[in-house]
Amino acid sequence: MVKLNILEVIGIIITVILILIIVFLYLGVRINLTYNKLNSDFEYHLNITILNSYSLFRKDYPSIKEDENEDKKESDGDDEGYPFKEIIKPLFNVLDSLIDYLTEILHSLEIKKLENHLDFGMSSYVSTAKYTGYMWSLFVIPNSSHKNVKLTVEPTFKEPTFDFKGCVDIKVNLLKIIIPTIKLLMQKEVRDFIKLVRNPREGKDNGENQDPNE
């Protein structure tokens, strides 16, 4: 019988853990997401599973508890909903990087379904047409890269609009997207945009408090 010292045992345990992590990353996870944003109302349903059956994470928004408190929030008049308009212009600053990232990791994704429709409008007709055309040209890349991808945008000239709905059903090979994801997150503009998405009102407050002569 072979006797192992404590260091060898620890080494074997670490090796087994690393192998399990690599296998998990290679098998990846399946992400199923549906969402809809209309005016100030936003809802989504997210489910992340492994081996197509074991749920790792599930999230519904608004949740049942939030629905129960909806009337109270409306009566308080303090809930303005998520300010999507605050992230429109910053989004265009990182849109090329996000499209490049999506194009790079497409081969790491098993796309069952990826659809999004955007109703977009700005206060200026010219700006609405300009940015709508810009988005259409960018959407050509993912739309033509995979048969199950459908990204569309429709201009709205009546009033400023940023409404969207869609669904995502993909299997992600986590092992293959590590390096592209690190490269994306190394870009300061992307990190700043993620912070803005997480707390858009903070960015709005900073913009309002900033001296226009600076």
Side-chain angles (χ1 to χ4, degrees):
M1 182 176 180
V2 179
K3 293 183 179 180
L4 301 176
N5 59 43
I6 186 66
L7 293 178
E8 291 174 331
V9 172
I10 292 175
I12 293 174
I13 293 174
I14 293 176
T15 302
V16 172
I17 292 175
L18 289 176
I19 292 175
L20 291 175
I21 292 175
I22 293 174
V23 170
F24 172 77
L25 293 175
Y26 182 78
L27 291 176
V29 296
R30 185 163 181 173
I31 301 174
N32 191 286
L33 170 68
T34 59
Y35 54 87
N36 184 34
K37 188 267 176 182
L38 180 62
N39 299 324
S40 60
D41 297 326
F42 178 63
E43 64 178 13
Y44 70 82
H45 307 282
L46 171 65
N47 189 27
I48 301 177
T49 60
I50 185 173
L51 301 178
N52 294 330
S53 56
Y54 299 101
S55 181
L56 297 177
F57 179 80
R58 186 180 183 89
K59 174 70 175 178
D60 295 318
Y61 178 86
S63 65
I64 297 176
K65 184 176 181 180
E66 289 168 336
D67 285 336
E68 292 173 349
N69 295 329
E70 181 178 356
D71 293 337
K72 181 178 179 180
K73 289 182 178 180
E74 291 180 352
S75 63
D76 292 340
D78 295 330
D79 184 17
E80 299 177 355
Y82 188 92
F84 284 96
K85 294 179 181 178
E86 299 301 324
I87 69 172
I88 295 178
K89 290 185 178 179
L91 173 61
F92 285 109
N93 295 333
V94 299
L95 195 56
D96 286 335
S97 297
L98 295 178
I99 293 295
D100 290 341
Y101 173 72
L102 179 60
T103 304
E104 188 172 357
I105 69 171
L106 274 178
H107 299 295
S108 305
L109 307 177
E110 183 181 342
I111 302 177
K112 307 294 184 180
K113 193 174 186 179
L114 177 58
E115 296 183 355
N116 184 81
H117 177 74
L118 171 66
D119 292 316
F120 176 78
M122 303 181 72
S123 56
S124 167
Y125 288 3
V126 175
S127 296
T128 298
K130 173 184 175 182
Y131 286 115
T132 300
Y134 184 47
M135 282 186 281
W136 263 117
S137 63
L138 290 174
F139 289 165
V140 168
I141 299 174
N143 285 342
S144 59
S145 299
H146 202 286
K147 63 180 181 179
N148 294 332
V149 176
K150 184 179 180 181
L151 307 178
T152 58
V153 57
E154 182 176 346
T156 301
F157 297 101
K158 295 181 180 179
E159 58 183 357
T161 305
F162 191 72
D163 293 333
F164 54 85
K165 61 180 178 179
C167 60
V168 178
D169 186 4
I170 58 176
K171 185 176 179 181
V172 184
N173 186 323
L174 300 176
L175 194 62
K176 293 183 179 180
I177 70 171
I178 291 178
I179 294 179
T181 300
I182 292 176
K183 289 168 55 179
L184 178 71
L185 295 178
M186 287 179 64
Q187 301 179 42
K188 184 178 183 301
E189 312 87 55
V190 174
R191 297 196 304 271
D192 290 342
F193 178 71
I194 293 174
K195 292 179 182 178
L196 179 64
V197 170
R198 295 180 61 183
N199 195 350
R201 290 186 177 85
E202 182 177 341
K204 178 181 179 181
D205 293 339
N206 291 338
E208 291 176 347
N209 295 329
Q210 185 177 3
D211 187 346
N213 295 323
E214 290 182 355

